[in-house]
Amino acid sequence: MLSDPMVLILMYFVLPVWLIAGFADWLCHRATHIESTTGAKESLIHLLMFVEVGIPLLAAMFLEINALIIAVMMIVFVLHEATAMWDVRYATTARTVTPIEQHVHSFLEMIPLMGLVSVVSLHWGQFLALFGFGPEKARFDLAWKEQQLPVGYIATVMTVILLFELFPYVEELFRGLRANSGRLVPPKARRNKAGDTAAR
């Protein structure tokens, strides 16, 4: 499995680009002073999206892919898209979402879809079985991968996620809370409506 070109593309192209886009998004938030515009509330939304993408990512890294995992990935993808819409709707109440940030968002929205489609293509039989088609029987058990990913790869990915994804967004949350005396929503965001900054 690890010699399959699609698996290698997922491991060494799709995931790294996704992580780079996530860190770039944090830089965009910092540049537009998220702590004094939309504050900790938007940071909590970002952390929610982090959890939403983390669930299928961890499943893909450690568990055998079957109908259950594919179903979870599909459901979480839809939830992530809905959360992303909520995020942008709230962000535009008080923070300027720059063209660069919008472009970064396009990566953050489409790369999960690319990953999902790639996983489905690798496990087509279980995808069909999920909907009652094909010769395979749908499996809904949780089982560790028979062939685990290399330990060095897992350690590197987890370290990068902690240092450049989780820690920055947690820092963003606390920065927003400090800037607004513990309040989730800064005064500017409370006064405005969704789209106010986009309409400028």
Side-chain angles (χ1 to χ4, degrees):
M1 179 64 77
L2 293 180
S3 61
D4 190 305
M6 184 62 73
V7 174
L8 296 175
I9 289 170
L10 281 169
M11 291 173 63
Y12 297 107
F13 177 73
V14 174
L15 182 55
V17 171
W18 196 0
L19 296 176
I20 290 170
F23 185 67
D25 198 34
W26 176 80
L27 292 175
C28 290
H29 303 158
R30 191 174 184 87
T32 53
H33 307 290
I34 189 173
E35 67 277 3
S36 59
T37 51
T38 50
K41 178 179 177 179
E42 189 181 358
S43 298
L44 283 175
I45 297 174
H46 296 155
L47 288 171
L48 173 59
M49 288 192 286
F50 180 84
V51 172
E52 289 170 345
V53 299
I55 291 171
L57 175 60
L58 291 175
M61 290 180 65
F62 294 104
L63 301 177
E64 283 292 329
I65 305 297
N66 56 26
L68 172 63
I69 301 302
I70 292 172
V72 169
M73 288 179 172
M74 293 169 64
I75 292 169
V76 172
F77 173 76
V78 173
L79 290 175
H80 180 263
E81 289 299 296
T83 307
M85 290 291 293
W86 175 29
D87 174 38
V88 174
R89 180 177 174 80
Y90 173 66
T92 55
T93 59
R95 188 169 67 81
T96 300
V97 181
T98 66
I100 292 177
E101 184 176 348
Q102 293 176 39
H103 194 59
V104 169
H105 286 175
S106 70
F107 280 85
L108 291 173
E109 291 174 17
M110 287 298 101
I111 291 176
L113 180 59
M114 183 188 302
L116 174 59
V117 171
S118 299
V119 169
V120 166
S121 71
L122 288 166
H123 303 276
W124 187 247
Q126 283 298 295
F127 174 72
L128 291 178
L130 177 62
F131 300 99
F133 300 108
E136 293 188 21
K137 181 180 179 181
R139 301 195 310 275
F140 295 94
D141 58 311
L142 294 175
W144 298 112
K145 283 184 179 298
E146 291 184 6
Q147 184 181 9
Q148 290 290 335
L149 299 177
V151 174
Y153 177 82
I154 292 174
T156 300
V157 168
M158 290 303 179
T159 300
V160 170
I161 288 174
L162 285 175
L163 294 180
F164 295 99
E165 308 297 329
L166 182 58
F167 288 170
Y169 282 95
V170 170
E171 181 275 335
E172 178 184 282
L173 171 65
F174 283 102
R175 182 160 29 99
L177 290 172
R178 284 197 307 271
N180 297 282
S181 303
R183 293 190 299 270
L184 288 178
V185 182
K188 185 177 181 181
R190 288 199 297 269
R191 290 194 302 266
N192 296 344
K193 297 179 181 179
D196 278 2
T197 57
R200 291 175 185 171

